[in-house]
């Protein structure tokens, strides 16, 4: 039947896509109802069962503990403050092998037949972009390398010298 065929193709799509996909409840600890193999690999787990064991089967177990509260507040703000049903976030996760990864999550919230809200999410790793990108993935400002190059050129233009000393201070609030 057509509905069964659509479900088969949708499942195949999520199983072969780059990155991770998951479905979770919006209430409580955000129980995960579905996760694909890509999410397991992103967390350096053997398979989805290993992932669920590692994170306790809940979204709250995926997000770095120090960021969880602010991430949940941001989602609530995007939904309640802006009236959005879709959004995206950047945050850190800790993997099974104890590595810390920067990830980007794109989500959509929908109300299920039982009246409870569900999050449909796609998660992609942004590891290489954190320090090596020309632009910061969150602010859109110059990254460290790009800013250093820009500051060197501007300093040369201002002073007319190639070897003027200067300092760059990075502040993280």
């Amino acid at each position: 039947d057509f509905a069964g065929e659509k479900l088969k193709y949708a499942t195949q799509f999520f199983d072969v896509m780059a990155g991770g996909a998951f479905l979770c409840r919006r209430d409580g600890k955000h129980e995960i109802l579905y996760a694909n193999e890509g999410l397991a690999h992103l967390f350096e787990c053997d398979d989805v069962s290993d992932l669920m064991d590692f994170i306790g089967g809940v979204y709250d177990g995926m997000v770095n503990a120090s960021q969880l509260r602010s991430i949940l507040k941001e989602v609530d703000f995007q939904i309640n403050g802006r009236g959005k049903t879709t959004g995206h976030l950047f945050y850190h996760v800790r993997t099974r092998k104890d590595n810390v990864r920067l990830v980007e999550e794109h989500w959509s919230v929908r109300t299920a037949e039982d009246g409870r809200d569900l999050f449909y999410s796609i998660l992609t790793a942004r590891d290489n972009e954190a320090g090596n990108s020309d632009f910061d993935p969150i602010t859109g400002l110059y990254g460290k390398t790009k800013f250093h190059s820009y500051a060197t050129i501007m300093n040369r233009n201002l002073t007319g010298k190639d070897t003027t000393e200067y300092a760059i201070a990075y502040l993280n609030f």
Side-chain angles (χ1 to χ4, degrees):
D1 81 336
F2 183 67
E5 189 173 335
K6 283 180 17 180
L7 180 60
K8 178 182 97 175
Y9 288 123
T11 303
Q12 285 176 352
F13 170 77
F14 286 114
D15 287 341
V16 299
M17 68 178 282
F22 65 95
L23 168 66
C24 73
R25 297 197 185 281
R26 183 167 177 227
D27 57 6
K29 288 199 174 273
H30 312 104
E31 175 190 9
I32 294 179
L33 305 174
Y34 167 83
N36 72 348
E37 290 294 325
L39 191 65
H41 293 298
L42 193 136
F43 277 84
E44 299 180 315
C45 293
D46 294 332
D47 55 27
V48 173
S49 178
D50 185 35
L51 169 71
M52 297 302 275
D53 178 59
F54 176 63
I55 63 172
V58 294
Y59 178 77
D60 295 19
M62 289 176 27
V63 179
N64 191 322
S66 66
Q67 293 179 298
L68 179 62
R69 187 181 216 178
S70 63
I71 292 299
L72 295 177
K73 281 184 178 181
E74 177 61 24
V75 170
D76 281 342
F77 174 73
Q78 287 182 20
I79 293 172
N80 299 323
R82 294 186 179 156
K84 292 186 170 190
T85 57
T86 62
H88 76 279
L89 309 158
F90 290 90
Y91 54 88
H92 292 93
V93 298
R94 184 167 303 278
T95 71
R96 169 72 86 181
K97 295 181 180 177
D98 211 30
N99 293 311
V100 175
R101 302 185 83 174
L102 175 65
V103 296
E104 180 177 4
E105 178 184 347
H106 288 267
W107 57 265
S108 179
V109 66
R110 298 289 182 262
T111 303
E113 291 177 6
D114 65 1
R116 297 168 75 182
D117 286 344
L118 300 174
F119 275 106
Y120 295 82
S121 295
I122 296 173
L123 209 62
T124 52
R126 296 293 185 210
D127 302 320
N128 296 333
E129 294 180 30
N132 300 328
S133 176
D134 284 344
F135 297 93
D136 181 279
I138 297 173
T139 65
L141 299 173
Y142 286 149
K144 289 181 181 180
T145 304
K146 178 95 173 161
F147 182 77
H148 184 268
S149 175
Y150 172 78
T152 300
I153 292 168
M154 292 304 293
N155 197 27
R156 186 179 308 128
N157 291 343
L158 290 171
T159 65
K161 300 177 186 176
D162 286 336
T163 58
T164 304
E165 291 185 18
Y166 62 94
I168 298 175
Y170 294 99
L171 304 175
N172 187 6
F173 295 97

